[in-house]
Amino acid sequence: NTETGEVLGTYTNRRVPYVVKFYPHDNNTFVVGCSDNKIVAYDSKTGEITQEYNHHLAPVNTITFVEDHGTKMVTSSDDKKVLVWEWDIGVPIKYISDPTMHSIPVVTLHPTLQYW
């Protein structure tokens, strides 16, 4: 609580978090990109892990929610891959990688919300 300074909850999978984003359709759910190459979704009310996304081969740098106001998420990692995920499905629906690509530290939506 930012007004009182009270800690309302702690969440851990014992890995270093690199990025944290709240799910646009539910303020009680957030995802964390971690140093163990996984993306973990938490329920903030219960503190439980609700989903793990595990296809990156290096720490996760970014998580960006796209399409239909956040039904898909785009992640990038130090493994030089960009993965597109359907929300709550642990298998990527799109895999973008090329041997000549560099690591992608930032992904953001274009102001028109049509491109990322």
Side-chain angles (χ1 to χ4, degrees):
N1 186 329
T2 58
E3 293 180 9
T4 65
E6 178 186 4
V7 176
L8 300 177
T10 57
Y11 313 93
T12 185
N13 67 346
R14 305 211 181 272
R15 301 294 181 258
V16 176
Y18 283 4
V19 59
V20 176
K21 294 284 176 108
F22 276 91
Y23 180 53
H25 297 291
D26 182 2
N27 290 334
N28 296 315
T29 303
F30 62 95
V31 290
V32 180
C34 299
S35 62
D36 66 347
N37 315 339
K38 294 181 183 178
I39 301 149
V40 181
Y42 287 94
D43 182 337
S44 65
K45 287 185 176 181
T46 64
E48 294 181 9
I49 293 174
T50 58
Q51 179 72 36
E52 283 192 1
Y53 304 88
N54 185 15
H55 278 271
H56 281 293
L57 301 175
V60 178
N61 294 327
T62 64
I63 300 170
T64 306
F65 288 98
V66 298
E67 288 192 22
D68 299 328
H69 307 289
T71 57
K72 292 183 175 74
M73 63 181 177
V74 176
T75 62
S76 69
S77 170
D78 287 340
D79 62 5
K80 304 176 185 178
K81 292 192 290 189
V82 175
L83 301 178
V84 180
W85 309 81
E86 191 75 44
W87 178 252
D88 221 13
I89 298 174
V91 179
I93 59 171
K94 183 98 173 156
Y95 178 101
I96 302 168
S97 181
D98 186 273
T100 62
M101 284 176 56
H102 294 281
S103 176
I104 301 170
V106 176
V107 174
T108 189
L109 284 175
H110 186 271
T112 64
L113 303 179
Q114 294 179 336
Y115 312 101
W116 48 268

